[in-house]
Amino acid sequence: MKKLLIIPLILLLTGCWNYRELNQLAITTGIAVDKENENYKITIMIANSKKGSGSDGSITPSAAVYEGKGKTIYEAFKDTSLSVSKQIYLSHIDVLVLSEEIAKNNLTDVIDFLFRYPQTRNNFYLVLAKAKKAGDILKITTPLETFPSQNLAKNLEITDKLQGFTYTVDFTDFTKSLVSEGINPILPSVTIIGNTIEGNKDENKEQSEPTTYLKLDMLGLFKGDKFVTWASPDESKGINIINNKIYILGVIIEKENKKIVTEITEMETSFKVENNKVKITVDTVGAIQEMNADLNLYDTKTIEKIQNADIEKIKEYINMAIDLAKKNKTDIFGFGNYVYKNNPKKWNEIKDKWDDEIFPNLEVEIEVNLRLQAKGSINNIVEVKE
Amino acid sequence: MDQELDKIINHIKTINGNSTDINVRYFNIHNQKVAFMFLESVANDDKISNFLGKSLSISVRSKKNLFEDLFNHINNTIPNSKVKIINNYDDIFYHLASGFTCVFIDGYNKAITLETKALLDRSITEATSEPVLKGPKDCFIENILANMGLIRKRIKDPNLYFEETKVGRRTKTKVVIGYIKDIADEEKVNLLKQKLEKINIDGIIDSNYIKELLCNNQKSFLPRVISTERPDLVTMGILNGKIAIIVENTPYVLLLPTVFADFFKSTEDYYTKPFNASFTRILRYIAFFIAILIPAFYIAVTTFNMEMVPSTLLISFSIQRDSVPFPTIIEVLILVISYEILREADTRKPQIMGASISIVGALILGEAAVSAGIISPIVVIVISISAVAGMGFNDPDITNAIRIWRILFMLAACLFGIVGIVVLFIIFLTKLNSIEVLGTPYLAPLSPLSFKDFKNSLTRFPQQKIKTRPTYFNKKNIHRIGSDK
């Protein structure tokens, strides 16, 4: 009996550490960081706001955006919470949007705060706001998803799968390439098309043609924790090919002003770095997706010609990417990391010279093996009768 | 016993307080006083008339051996009844109460008794609490002989032993243990007999009394003895080396030793295809754990471990909870307790009133409570899933265990989150593991691990593949298929 008495006593002793009711939390799904003068400006998107009530009394979630400023990220967050009636909860962040200015100057501060903060998970995506305020990105409503942050995260994911020139980077990937030897990070970017003020309104998502929307843009290259430059779409394709991040890639070749589009569906890239020389091998499979040149695809020679042209094009993408990286002296591909992993002793000798001397002068050898697997559902060009 | 007839009759009447159902008829056979005594309430009139007619037609050669002559005469002319000679008062009253008629002859200190029992039992009907879709439909009744018969007619092996003891100082209830001599473990049989002998209680009304008295240590809340109304289940058990306890006046036969896995089996498993049976068995395990864990998991995940929930789901949980004024644990407890009350009401009320209960229940627990903002829709869903999962078990003992553990897990979750659930789960497993029923570990064949027995435990293999009986009940004659060695 005495033992049983312990149970109610234990109940009295506990303070229910970490106990929170769900409706006391402001579930934040997106964070944007801007720099205004000397202050950080934090914009958070809270997902569980109740403002969108359905006609039948059912409540549909919708987003609410709050801002706060402070000299440190911590202060900025505390400033934000002054205007929020709930506890800001950061476990379910989908995206972190960074302005160009932050990317150029104070990236480490943001990364440090989020890394140190115990609540955050490491699987949210990082994205740069190109030529716009990062905070505005989170405010643009969209008819396709409930929240702007969700929209952005899903857009990044799906474009990564279906196109060759963007690239999703989550917090783990980013910090990994930030702290690893011989590799520099890349981030995708997003921009606003249309009027930002119009995009804030609910009407924006009720129109069948939203006046304002978000569009994914080029990749941003970093040197260490500093943003250096943007890559064009073709350069971005090259970066993704070398980094083995291609799920689908459209290769467009021109022949006598006619275009042939080959879609790459499988691509396996590997590289080797030896004696200041890098050898890149690409094994790939593709299929013709669009053609307006009158070519006889029954002829294996024609196929071979297209194949060779495609290979040249892929090499061109790769070369463009490498040239861009060399020009900016940032090893975004991890060639140095390859040396570090395979020959740590050598890396210790050359690592100080790598970025400025060795990497820009690397000799590059590219080998592309392409197999055109299919011609689509029809063989030749569609012939219109006279 | 006395010799004088009047004294005997008076004595019996006095020890029973001159109860109204005592009936005595006096006759003279060869000028010797003879008395027939029976209890009207339990004896059959036709049988008594027949008996009287036959015994009065006796032609006695000498007056000296009247008792022996009458005994032989009755023995020879009324072949289908039990005839006995008794010479003490205790036995006489036991027999009278069991529906026997006693014959006393003046000058003899013994009595002849003859079975004239009235049929006070219902006939064998269809099993109601453990129905099967396709399979034997008969079920045990209140008559112990009929119950033994239902088992005996299924096992015609002479090694099927029925051993009787009487339990209960006043009710003197017959308790029969049935087992197959060369399969059941002798130690277990002896242990059970000892336990039965130790029982000291005034009356046994139902087999559940025996069940409770045998397993006095009930800290895990989980049942340790199967109680069933299905003769086919008892037969299967006995063939597997279990011991059946058949109690007079009870349509439920006890089977032991029992392991945890037995509660996830149904006789139906053996009447359908093995694959289907395995599938439903695994489903029952899943249902059991859903039933005890789901409400706790919901509480933990919404008050401590929100990181575990996908964003979209968490946001929807949060929106639904927004208008609810109570903490999650109170909200869940309100619903769980009203569900339990509803279930209790439904069980106790006659069937005719069932419809009104379900209407009120569905309205109050479902629609109204949600739209009044007392509970959130997701909690209704969680509790319903848990309740439905718990309904898969028809043994009330296991249903009760589920509801107690469900609430315990909920409390653990609201105090410590997932950590609390995990710790309580470890305690739960420890409890299960520490139970032994007549020396059989409760978690067998899982602990101690015996892969051979998995064929007929978690899954059910085809009959020809299950070559042995469960090895945790007995060690001898374990071959089901192929000859016993």
Side-chain angles (χ1 to χ4, degrees), chain A residues 10-11 14 16-25 27 29 47-50 59-62 86 89 91-94 119 121 147 150, chain B residues 298-299 301-312 314-329 414-416:
Chain A
I10 287 174
L11 294 185
T14 61
C16 291
W17 174 81
N18 214 8
Y19 177 90
R20 292 157 300 190
E21 281 297 341
L22 207 47
N23 43 354
Q24 295 162 357
L25 295 180
I27 300 164
T29 57
N48 56 336
S49 106
K50 253 194 351 179
I59 306 159
T60 51
S62 68
K86 300 178 179 198
Y89 182 66
S91 274
H92 285 79
I93 307 170
D94 288 331
Q119 253 178 20
R121 290 191 286 195
F147 318 112
Q150 207 180 16
Chain B
Y298 171 77
I299 293 172
V301 132
T302 53
T303 55
F304 285 92
N305 307 80
M306 291 99 164
E307 313 83 50
M308 293 176 68
V309 195
S311 317
T312 343
L314 186 77
I315 291 160
S316 132
F317 280 3
S318 160
I319 299 278
Q320 289 180 26
R321 256 201 67 76
D322 223 30
S323 58
V324 178
F326 309 114
T328 313
I329 177 71
C414 96
L415 291 176
F416 307 108

Side-chain angles (χ1 to χ4, degrees), chain B residues 106-314:
Chain B
D106 196 17
Y108 290 90
N109 61 350
K110 47 193 175 179
I112 303 167
T113 63
L114 184 125
E115 192 262 348
T116 52
K117 211 177 269 181
L119 193 68
L120 295 178
D121 299 301
R122 65 193 166 104
S123 56
I124 294 171
T125 51
E126 209 170 295
T128 47
S129 58
E130 295 158 64
V132 294
L133 217 53
K134 280 188 174 177
K137 302 274 184 194
D138 54 354
C139 91
F140 290 121
I141 55 169
E142 284 78 1
N143 186 326
I144 192 169
L145 283 172
N147 290 351
M148 281 157 67
L150 284 172
I151 298 168
R152 180 74 84 181
K153 79 169 187 179
R154 284 174 163 84
I155 307 174
K156 292 172 186 95
D157 187 349
N159 285 314
L160 171 62
Y161 283 24
F162 284 121
E163 290 179 16
E164 188 188 295
T165 45
K166 292 198 179 71
V167 185
R169 287 194 310 273
R170 291 183 192 280
T171 56
K172 294 204 170 57
T173 314
K174 277 186 202 167
V175 175
V176 171
I177 57 171
Y179 58 95
I180 296 184
K181 180 72 179 169
D182 56 351
I183 297 179
D185 187 359
E186 215 164 314
E187 262 177 50
K188 292 189 167 84
V189 176
N190 290 336
L191 190 65
L192 182 64
K193 280 186 200 160
Q194 280 171 21
K195 283 194 169 192
L196 282 175
E197 269 164 30
K198 271 185 202 157
I199 293 176
N200 181 9
I201 192 171
D202 61 343
I204 298 290
I205 312 298
D206 185 85
S207 58
N208 278 305
Y209 278 53
I210 302 273
K211 183 159 90 177
E212 208 179 310
L213 292 165
L214 284 181
C215 327
N216 41 11
N217 186 5
Q218 285 282 13
K219 277 177 198 161
S220 71
F221 310 115
L222 281 153
R224 296 161 189 210
V225 178
I226 284 185
S227 122
T228 178
E229 60 169 358
R230 298 194 60 82
D232 50 343
L233 179 60
V234 173
T235 312
M236 282 175 199
I238 290 180
L239 281 177
N240 278 340
K242 292 191 186 183
I243 308 161
I245 304 179
I246 313 158
V247 181
E248 204 178 5
N249 304 322
T250 311
Y252 287 89
V253 171
L254 307 179
L255 261 185
L256 69 171
T258 301
V259 295
F260 187 55
D262 286 339
F263 294 96
F264 296 85
K265 293 179 183 175
S266 151
T267 46
E268 184 109 42
D269 293 352
Y270 299 94
Y271 309 144
T272 55
K273 290 198 168 177
F275 179 80
N276 299 344
S278 302
F279 179 74
T280 30
R281 266 189 200 174
I282 293 167
L283 216 57
R284 280 184 211 124
Y285 281 96
I286 297 173
F288 178 81
F289 288 110
I290 284 181
I292 61 173
L293 290 176
I294 277 279
F297 194 71
Y298 171 77
I299 293 172
V301 132
T302 53
T303 55
F304 285 92
N305 307 80
M306 291 99 164
E307 313 83 50
M308 293 176 68
V309 195
S311 317
T312 343
L313 191 62
L314 186 77

Side-chain angles (χ1 to χ4, degrees), chain A residues 135-173:
Chain A
D136 290 343
I137 302 284
L138 290 182
K139 294 175 191 163
I140 308 299
T141 55
T142 161
L144 293 180
E145 302 285 343
T146 326
F147 318 112
S149 65
Q150 207 180 16
N151 174 48
L152 189 52
K154 285 193 178 171
N155 195 358
L156 281 166
E157 270 168 29
I158 202 77
T159 319
D160 188 19
K161 293 256 155 58
L162 300 179
Q163 310 254 16
F165 54 83
T166 65
Y167 180 28
T168 58
V169 180
D170 70 20
F171 197 58
T172 319
D173 296 340

Side-chain angles (χ1 to χ4, degrees), chain A residues 223-259:
Chain A
K223 185 172 183 173
D225 61 343
K226 300 272 187 291
F227 169 82
V228 280
T229 188
W230 299 107
S232 75
D234 282 352
E235 287 162 346
S236 304
K237 282 181 188 176
I239 294 171
N240 280 335
I241 293 171
I242 301 172
N243 282 342
N244 203 8
K245 293 279 183 190
I246 297 285
Y247 295 94
I248 281 179
L249 174 73
V251 178
I252 301 136
I253 53 168
E254 279 185 48
K255 232 177 179 158
E256 297 142 17
N257 280 335
K258 306 272 185 171
K259 290 193 169 84

Side-chain angles (χ1 to χ4, degrees), chain A residues 182-304:
Chain A
I183 188 164
N184 284 317
I186 325 164
L187 280 185
S189 70
V190 66
T191 193
I192 301 167
I193 308 290
N195 187 321
T196 311
I197 313 263
E198 288 293 314
N200 288 348
K201 294 177 182 160
D202 266 351
E203 291 93 71
N204 187 41
K205 66 175 174 187
E206 276 150 27
Q207 291 163 354
S208 55
E209 186 191 3
T211 45
T212 312
Y213 51 91
L214 297 177
K215 194 177 175 194
L216 297 183
D217 215 303
M218 307 171 188
L219 292 183
L221 273 57
F222 283 73
K223 185 172 183 173
D225 61 343
K226 300 272 187 291
F227 169 82
V228 280
T229 188
W230 299 107
S232 75
D234 282 352
E235 287 162 346
S236 304
K237 282 181 188 176
I239 294 171
N240 280 335
I241 293 171
I242 301 172
N243 282 342
N244 203 8
K245 293 279 183 190
I246 297 285
Y247 295 94
I248 281 179
L249 174 73
V251 178
I252 301 136
I253 53 168
E254 279 185 48
K255 232 177 179 158
E256 297 142 17
N257 280 335
K258 306 272 185 171
K259 290 193 169 84
I260 301 167
V261 180
T262 311
E263 192 175 77
I264 303 294
T265 46
E266 284 171 37
M267 187 176 257
E268 193 67 42
T269 313
S270 57
F271 57 76
K272 270 187 182 169
V273 187
E274 263 166 5
N275 303 326
N276 296 350
K277 187 180 168 190
V278 57
K279 187 173 187 257
I280 301 168
T281 318
V282 184
D283 288 305
T284 173
V285 176
I288 292 174
Q289 202 57 259
E290 189 183 331
M291 177 175 88
N292 55 16
D294 188 7
L295 294 175
N296 181 8
L297 291 182
Y298 286 117
D299 191 356
T300 43
K301 278 182 185 163
T302 324
I303 299 276
E304 223 165 78

